[in-house]
Amino acid sequence: MNINDFILDEIKALTLKSTVKKAQKVYAKLPITHIPIVENGRLLGCFPESDIQTIQDENQELREYSYLLAQFHAREKDTLLDLIVLFADNDCNVIPVLNQEMTYIGYYELSDILDAFADSPFLHNESETLIVSKNKSDYSMSQIAQIVEASGGKLLGLYISSQDNTHDTVQVTLKVITEDINEIIQTFRRYDYQIITQHQDDFYLEELKDRASYLRKYLDM
């Protein structure tokens, strides 16, 4: 998949000479959060829909409100994960795209990027989601991969999904193909990883352990 195939140019960028009324008409027709503002091929910024709708003098040019321009953009070389972070950080559903010469070439829409991510093998393949936690100084990505593969699993991908600076720990989310998730779970525990996700097979094993422990206490009475 080439992420650049999702670059669009259906919504024409406005200029600072465009009127507030013209921008409001664009927003009235399309459910977008920002409109790119371009002059001579150069991106000046994006006008947020929330700000445009508060301007009462619709005949004013946008240059009168240039201080409202939001500054964010993507590059042609950005990856799928880069784009998802950009969308989240800027609370938008449209991101302008610049090429290597910093020239405006179009935009990405959030729905297209999310669809592309959902269709990736990381999410689309049948797999188990496992979240483990450990002290920042003790965990390693290579060890996590080794644990999964040594336990008969296949690692599709992993990422740091949470970080607790108070307790100096991290949570790592894994997507794993396996016929026995419990074997992987128990191996992680032997390496002092805490299992955050809940798994039915693990519940059953832990229940058996509790019963066995109770039985030993009973017999020792």
Side-chain angles (χ1 to χ4, degrees):
M1 178 191 65
N2 184 353
I3 195 65
N4 291 156
D5 292 340
F6 293 94
I7 297 176
L8 304 172
D9 62 358
E10 296 172 3
I11 303 172
K12 299 306 177 184
L14 301 183
T15 71
L16 289 179
K17 292 181 180 180
S18 301
T19 63
V20 171
K21 183 177 182 179
K22 186 172 183 178
Q24 290 176 340
K25 283 185 176 180
V26 174
Y27 283 126
K29 294 178 180 178
L30 301 168
I32 57 175
T33 58
H34 295 78
I35 298 176
I37 306 300
V38 176
E39 295 279 2
N40 299 319
R42 300 291 175 177
L43 178 71
L44 302 181
C46 296
F47 262 114
E49 185 270 346
S50 56
D51 289 331
I52 288 291
Q53 301 299 4
T54 63
I55 300 173
Q56 295 184 349
D57 188 353
E58 60 182 21
N59 294 317
Q60 286 276 17
E61 291 184 351
L62 293 177
R63 71 172 65 256
E64 300 297 327
Y65 305 95
S66 58
Y67 59 90
L68 296 174
L69 285 172
Q71 301 296 330
F72 61 87
H73 63 269
R75 303 283 188 89
E76 271 186 302
K77 64 180 181 179
D78 284 346
T79 66
L80 188 60
L81 289 180
D82 291 331
L83 295 176
I84 290 174
V85 171
L86 278 171
F87 277 113
D89 286 348
N90 294 285
D91 193 20
C92 61
N93 60 15
V94 169
I95 291 181
V97 186
L98 307 183
N99 62 17
Q100 292 183 348
E101 290 73 36
M102 300 299 288
T103 300
Y104 175 79
I105 58 174
Y107 60 90
Y108 287 116
E109 282 191 356
L110 176 60
S111 58
D112 291 336
I113 300 306
L114 291 180
D115 285 345
F117 186 60
D119 288 338
S120 67
F122 182 73
L123 291 181
H124 200 61
N125 283 4
E126 283 193 25
S127 59
E128 294 275 358
T129 299
L130 181 63
I131 302 177
V132 299
S133 176
K134 201 174 186 182
N135 189 279
K136 289 180 185 178
S137 60
D138 295 334
Y139 90 99
S140 80
M141 293 297 189
S142 59
Q143 183 184 63
I144 290 173
Q146 184 179 12
I147 289 173
V148 172
E149 292 170 0
S151 303
K154 185 175 181 64
L155 184 63
L156 287 176
L158 72 166
Y159 66 97
I160 297 175
S161 50
S162 181
Q163 183 169 295
D164 187 338
N165 292 324
T166 302
H167 298 93
D168 204 32
T169 59
V170 295
Q171 289 185 10
V172 182
T173 297
L174 300 79
K175 294 288 286 184
V176 178
I177 296 177
T178 179
E179 295 182 357
D180 188 0
I181 189 64
N182 186 63
E183 182 177 347
I184 295 175
I185 288 173
Q186 301 313 319
T187 305
F188 271 115
R189 286 196 172 118
R190 287 196 293 273
Y191 281 85
D192 297 323
Y193 285 84
Q194 181 183 358
I195 307 301
I196 305 300
T197 42
Q198 300 178 342
H199 302 266
Q200 189 60 44
D201 291 344
D202 187 39
F203 283 157
Y204 179 68
L205 184 62
E206 290 302 304
E207 185 179 359
L208 288 179
K209 287 182 179 178
D210 290 342
R211 290 182 179 181
S213 178
Y214 177 79
L215 181 59
R216 281 195 297 271
K217 290 180 180 179
Y218 177 79
L219 294 175
D220 289 341
M221 291 178 62

